[in-house]
Amino acid sequence: MEKHFAVIGDPIEHSLSPVMHRAAFKAKGIEAEYQRFRVSPDNLGAAVSGLTALGFAGWNVTIPHKEKIIPFLHELTPEAKRAGAVNTVKVDSGRLIGHNTDGQGFVRSIETELVGTDSRGWFNGKNAVILGAGGAAKGIAFALADKGMNLHILNRTEEKAHELVGLVRVRGGEATGGELLPGKWLGQADLVIQTTSVGLKGEKFLFSLAEINPEALVVDIIFRPQETAFLREAKAKGCHTLNGLGMLLHQGVLAWEFWLGERAPLAEMWDALRNRILVVEKG
Ligand SMILES: NC(=O)c1ccc[n+]([C@@H]2O[C@H](COP(=O)([O-])OP(=O)(O)OC[C@H]3O[C@@H](n4cnc5c(N)ncnc54)[C@H](OP(=O)(O)O)[C@@H]3O)[C@@H](O)[C@H]2O)c1
């Protein structure tokens, strides 16, 4: 019997999840459809009931529903509990299980990039600076703290940086925080992650990266455009850079595996994403 999956959010029309998941079903010969639905915040509960009543096997959840969906679910995985947010729901014998693959997806994208080095040992004791303290930063911060990294979290709204620092520390992680400003952290970072929405519209970053450690791995989790001004500057300083497409891929791979219980066809999902991005950029 054909299985049904979806992604819900608002806005949703630019989501790349359908192209990636459909490619995975096709590659594995699984009879399944993956759709995207715009769901306004007022209709979230009705949408969850509707998807369940229609027999959907699972769905992804994106902005602005990742936290608000929690009261509508029966159970959370440890990853979703820890992040306080859900990006994947599985329907299991009528029970709705909320999961979160964002943080682990980010770590996997870094591990893939570090092939050739001992990626398992790479994180422990190193310095990561996270720019931003929104939903995406939160999942990334918990995942990196679990890997033993020392975090420095900087945000325009400074209180939100301190709140996230507190949450990381309560869970046993090492973290400090402050306002989103340049400083000596630039020269001391082993990993810098840009998680604010600055750059989505092609704009310059908020400050210069002139003092950045050229040995640092610099990530911007934005993937459209593929190279933000932030990444361009880091690359010009000699840093190894990475955009957010790998994070998108790996969170999708982990969600797919959570639903289907088998290995996802990573190469086909990656090709589908890359091809779609190229088409979008040409258009
Ligand atoms: N690659 C992926 O798979 C992936 C996954 C999720 C998200 N993302 C991308 O990550 C970005 C953030 O998403 P999110 O879900 O974390 O959003 P969010 O929860 O709304 O957080 C937005 C963050 O950006 C900061 N910000 C916004 N405008 C700013 C400005 N002009 N100057 C300084 N800081 C500013 C906010 O700071 P304040 O707290 O001060 O407002 C906050 O830290 C988006 O670009 C999104 O596309 C990528």
Side-chain angles (χ1 to χ4, degrees):
M1 203 175 69
E2 192 182 36
K3 286 183 183 323
H4 292 274
F5 296 89
V7 56
I8 60 170
D10 186 13
I12 200 66
E13 52 279 12
H14 298 299
S15 172
L16 294 175
S17 291
V19 83
M20 167 169 63
H21 286 291
R22 285 174 190 158
F25 292 129
K26 190 167 170 215
K28 286 282 194 165
I30 295 171
E31 213 185 316
E33 184 48 280
Y34 187 106
Q35 293 163 271
R36 63 179 163 223
F37 296 117
R38 187 168 76 80
V39 172
S40 68
D42 290 349
N43 286 326
L44 180 59
V48 170
S49 305
L51 289 167
T52 311
L54 289 167
F56 274 66
W59 56 89
N60 287 124
V61 183
T62 187
I63 288 175
H65 304 314
K66 287 186 179 184
E67 293 174 6
K68 301 224 165 57
I69 198 167
I70 290 175
F72 300 107
L73 307 177
H74 296 105
E75 217 179 291
L76 296 182
T77 62
E79 290 83 357
K81 266 190 207 152
R82 200 182 43 174
V86 162
N87 77 334
T88 306
V89 174
K90 175 162 80 170
V91 184
D92 189 2
S93 311
R95 290 181 65 75
L96 306 185
I97 305 169
H99 186 37
N100 195 309
T101 65
D102 283 335
Q104 200 48 40
F106 176 79
V107 167
R108 289 248 187 127
S109 76
I110 301 279
E111 285 172 340
T112 307
E113 200 62 22
L114 295 171
V115 166
T117 59
D118 176 9
S119 60
R120 278 162 309 165
W122 186 85
F123 299 87
N124 196 22
K126 285 202 162 66
N127 297 326
V129 179
I130 303 180
L131 310 177
K138 208 166 156 188
I140 291 171
F142 294 142
L144 293 180
D146 277 358
K147 299 289 271 180
M149 294 200 89
N150 304 314
L151 308 185
H152 191 46
I153 302 168
L154 304 172
N155 196 48
R156 174 179 66 179
T157 311
E158 197 178 346
E159 305 85 76
K160 276 176 64 185
H162 291 305
E163 254 171 55
L164 183 50
V165 165
L167 290 172
V168 170
R169 284 195 187 155
V170 161
R171 289 162 171 79
E174 294 283 339
T176 52
E179 201 181 337
L180 184 51
L181 294 171
K184 53 175 203 300
W185 59 265
L186 275 162
Q188 295 166 350
D190 299 298
L191 173 64
V192 179
I193 310 127
Q194 196 309 96
T195 77
T196 78
S197 34
V198 178
L200 269 178
K201 296 182 184 131
E203 68 272 38
K204 267 178 62 185
F205 194 61
L206 305 158
F207 48 78
S208 153
L209 304 179
E211 303 302 323
I212 200 161
N213 168 17
E215 302 292 321
L217 171 59
V218 178
V219 187
D220 193 326
I221 67 165
I222 291 174
F223 49 81
R224 207 162 36 197
Q226 288 198 68
E227 190 173 72
T228 56
F230 177 85
L231 276 196
R232 247 193 325 276
E233 187 179 354
K235 195 188 258 180
K237 298 283 171 229
C239 300
H240 186 142
T241 59
L242 178 67
N243 72 16
L245 206 57
M247 176 180 174
L248 180 71
L249 169 75
H250 287 284
Q251 65 75 32
V253 163
L254 292 166
W256 200 92
E257 292 177 349
F258 180 63
W259 291 323
L260 279 297
E262 59 178 283
R263 224 358 132 70
L266 189 140
E268 284 84 353
M269 294 169 84
W270 179 241
D271 286 347
L273 275 181
R274 293 271 313 148
N275 291 339
R276 177 54 60 94
I277 281 277
L278 292 177
V279 168
V280 170
E281 285 194 345
K282 261 195 209 152

